[in-house]
Amino acid sequence: VQLQASGGGLVQAGGSLRLSCVASGLSFRSVAMGWFRQAPGKDREFVAAISSGVVSTYYADSVKGRFTISRDNAKNLVYLQMNSLKPADTAVYSCAASYITTTSDFEYHYWGQGTLVTVSS
């Protein structure tokens, strides 16, 4: 199983970025997908998750209303659209796959490498 995230970069506060994560080696339609982030010196935290079937989405309070998670099962892709970015959103963002829909990182079975998002003030 491989998950590969991309789309990070440097953006000014108030700007937008879209992260992508492509999955291979698993039945993508059968897994829930999540995005997590880890800022320097901080623990990893949940950002957003999307279910596998009838699509439900979940967000951390800190990103609700600004970030949108979506998926394209035909392309094995999950996206994280990030709008109104703040310096506090600066972190390495990682995608993950789970056989259950969950916001807990320990319940995710597969992880991709991270992509760095830096938001300047």
Side-chain angles (χ1 to χ4, degrees):
V1 175
Q2 287 193 327
L3 303 176
Q4 184 153 358
S6 61
L10 174 64
V11 64
Q12 288 189 328
S16 299
L17 280 176
R18 188 177 80 158
L19 305 183
S20 300
C21 173
V22 61
S24 60
L26 78 170
S27 177
F28 186 72
R29 296 174 184 268
S30 301
V31 295
M33 297 296 297
W35 286 97
F36 293 79
R37 67 186 182 186
Q38 187 166 20
K42 295 189 176 181
D43 292 335
R44 183 166 59 195
E45 66 173 352
F46 167 75
V47 176
I50 187 166
S51 62
S52 60
V54 176
V55 177
S56 298
T57 56
Y58 306 85
Y59 297 95
D61 288 343
S62 58
V63 307
K64 204 170 292 184
R66 300 188 297 122
F67 291 11
T68 302
I69 189 170
S70 61
R71 64 190 296 160
D72 183 340
N73 287 340
K75 297 181 179 179
N76 285 14
L77 280 164
V78 62
Y79 302 102
L80 185 68
Q81 177 67 43
M82 305 186 295
N83 299 328
S84 302
L85 283 161
K86 306 174 181 179
D89 295 318
T90 295
V92 174
Y93 286 71
S94 299
C95 58
S98 174
Y99 292 108
I100 60 172
T101 302
T102 178
T103 62
S104 299
D105 60 354
F106 63 87
E107 293 183 306
Y108 278 82
H109 304 88
Y110 307 108
W111 290 84
Q113 93 295 352
T115 184
L116 177 63
V117 172
T118 304
V119 184
S120 63
S121 57

